[in-house]
């Protein structure tokens, strides 16, 4: 896995899959690393060259001092593409990855093929939730909010049915370095990308989770209705729909990216 320099921050990047195929870039949620996408990799690497990466502050990437911003995250992606000499990619981002996708779609349209925005929003009207999370991590580390976050990520039914998958996801969250998590929460506390949506001209699919309280269906519908020509799929999942409904999620992604 190469480490790619984005303005002095080393980013952990993985490139796998079909040589010469179209390129798909995957972008994780807050508090996870690139292994979040393991359930999709077998199917996706048969069709695409797949780029995964750890966002700054996460996984094996660097943790420069915050605060960060969506523009910074977007420019990190462009630095990865430039380093790999890749002109254009399809994009699939979940939660925070979807927010970065909105920024890229509006600000770097020539680099984007089709865009998938999953379990995400363009706007948080009230920063309180993020400020509370920052306080919780400063006082109790990642363990201070792990159970609350996991309860939002996966439905109670799924957590009961799949304890090992739930445990693996929780371990990923607990391994996230507090300074990186806090800097990302600071970026989310001021998120307002509503004005970017009409500028996105790429074919766009919005995926929502029926039981997602973090970025509810209404937030997904707002995005869909403000991006010209965007479509929407609703899955029977909470926030991390790529894990809770891995087959349906993968089918939605592959179907959208391969349709002419």
């Amino acid at each position: 896995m190469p480490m790619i320099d984005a303005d002095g921050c080393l980013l952990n990047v993985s490139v796998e899959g079909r040589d010469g195929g179209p390129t798909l870039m995957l972008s994780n949620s807050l508090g996870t690393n690139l292994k979040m996408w393991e359930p999709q990799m077998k199917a996706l690497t048969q069709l695409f060259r797949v780029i995964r990466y750890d966002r700054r502050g996460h996984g094996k990437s660097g943790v420069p001092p915050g605060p960060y911003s969506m523009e910074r995250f977007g420019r990190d992606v462009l630095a990865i593409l430039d380093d790999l000499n890749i002109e254009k990619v399809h994009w699939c981002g979940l939660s925070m990855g979807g927010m970065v996708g909105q920024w890229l779609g509006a600000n770097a349209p020539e680099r984007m093929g089709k865009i998938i925005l999953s379990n995400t929003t363009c706007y948080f009207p009230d920063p309180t939730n993020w400020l509370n999370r920052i306080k919780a991590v400063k006082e109790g580390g990642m363990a201070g909010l792990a159970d609350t976050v996991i309860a939002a990520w996966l439905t109670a039914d799924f957590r009961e049915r799949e304890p090992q998958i739930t445990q693996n996801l929780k371990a990923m969250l607990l391994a996230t370095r507090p300074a990186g998590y806090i800097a990302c929460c600071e970026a989310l506390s001021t998120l307002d990308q509503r004005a970017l949506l009409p500028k996105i001209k790429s074919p766009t699919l919005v995926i929502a989770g029926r039981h997602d309280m973090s970025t509810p269906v209404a937030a997904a519908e707002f995005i869909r209705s403000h991006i010209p020509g965007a479509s929407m799929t609703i899955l029977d999942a909470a926030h991390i729909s790529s894990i809770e409904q891995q087959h349906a999620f993968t089918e939605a992604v592959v179907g959208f990216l391969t349709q002419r």
Side-chain angles (χ1 to χ4, degrees):
M1 291 194 190
M3 296 294 281
I4 290 175
D5 189 323
D7 286 346
C9 177
L10 289 178
L11 300 173
N12 180 45
V13 179
S14 162
V15 184
E16 298 166 75
R18 194 177 142 205
D19 279 343
T23 304
L24 169 62
M25 193 160 187
L26 303 174
S27 187
N28 332 326
S29 73
L30 172 70
T32 64
N33 59 44
L34 55 77
K35 290 194 166 122
M36 187 193 105
W37 298 104
E38 284 301 328
Q40 280 68 49
M41 289 304 289
K42 187 178 176 191
L44 294 180
T45 51
Q46 289 171 8
L47 297 165
F48 306 101
R49 177 168 51 167
V50 181
I51 303 172
R52 293 181 289 171
Y53 72 104
D54 289 333
R55 183 175 298 111
R56 62 173 57 213
H58 285 71
K60 294 177 182 171
S61 290
V63 188
Y68 305 156
S69 66
M70 284 305 142
E71 179 179 2
R72 177 66 268 165
F73 298 134
R75 296 202 178 282
D76 286 350
V77 169
L78 297 176
I80 291 169
L81 297 184
D82 290 346
D83 190 273
L84 296 174
N85 203 24
I86 293 172
E87 199 175 311
K88 198 168 195 172
V89 292
H90 297 314
W91 181 267
C92 177
L94 189 144
S95 191
M96 207 164 171
M99 298 165 199
V100 179
Q102 294 163 40
W103 188 92
L104 289 163
N107 290 286
E110 71 288 352
R111 309 301 291 270
M112 294 286 109
K114 293 184 178 184
I115 295 176
I116 298 166
L117 306 173
S118 178
N119 300 84
T120 193
T121 188
C122 61
Y123 175 52
F124 288 114
D126 182 359
T128 305
N129 173 49
W130 300 111
L131 301 178
N132 288 342
R133 280 207 198 182
I134 290 167
K135 184 169 182 281
V137 173
K138 282 181 175 173
E139 290 175 358
M142 296 306 294
L145 50 69
D147 288 338
T148 307
V149 171
I150 290 293
W153 278 2
L154 304 166
T155 62
D157 281 354
F158 183 86
R159 297 196 309 271
E160 197 174 308
R161 199 169 64 248
E162 297 286 1
Q164 191 56 59
I165 295 175
T166 303
Q167 202 51 47
N168 293 346
L169 202 53
K170 186 176 178 180
M172 207 182 284
L173 176 66
L174 289 170
T176 305
R177 284 159 292 178
Y181 191 88
I182 287 168
C184 289
C185 287
E186 287 168 346
L188 293 171
S189 72
T190 58
L191 182 78
D192 186 355
Q193 299 193 133
R194 289 174 291 179
L196 297 186
L197 300 180
K199 300 177 182 173
I200 298 172
K201 304 301 184 225
S202 296
T204 302
L205 171 66
V206 181
I207 298 177
R210 197 180 312 282
H211 312 290
D212 188 347
M213 298 293 132
S214 306
T215 53
V217 172
E221 175 54 33
F222 183 91
I223 293 171
R224 185 210 61 77
S225 64
H226 286 78
I227 296 176
S231 57
M232 184 159 123
T233 295
I234 300 176
L235 300 180
D236 195 33
H239 190 54
I240 311 282
S241 63
S242 60
I243 288 177
E244 182 153 359
Q245 288 289 343
Q246 56 181 266
H247 299 299
F249 183 95
T250 306
E251 279 179 11
V253 169
V254 170
F256 176 69
L257 294 179
T258 55
Q259 74 189 21
R260 301 233 173 251

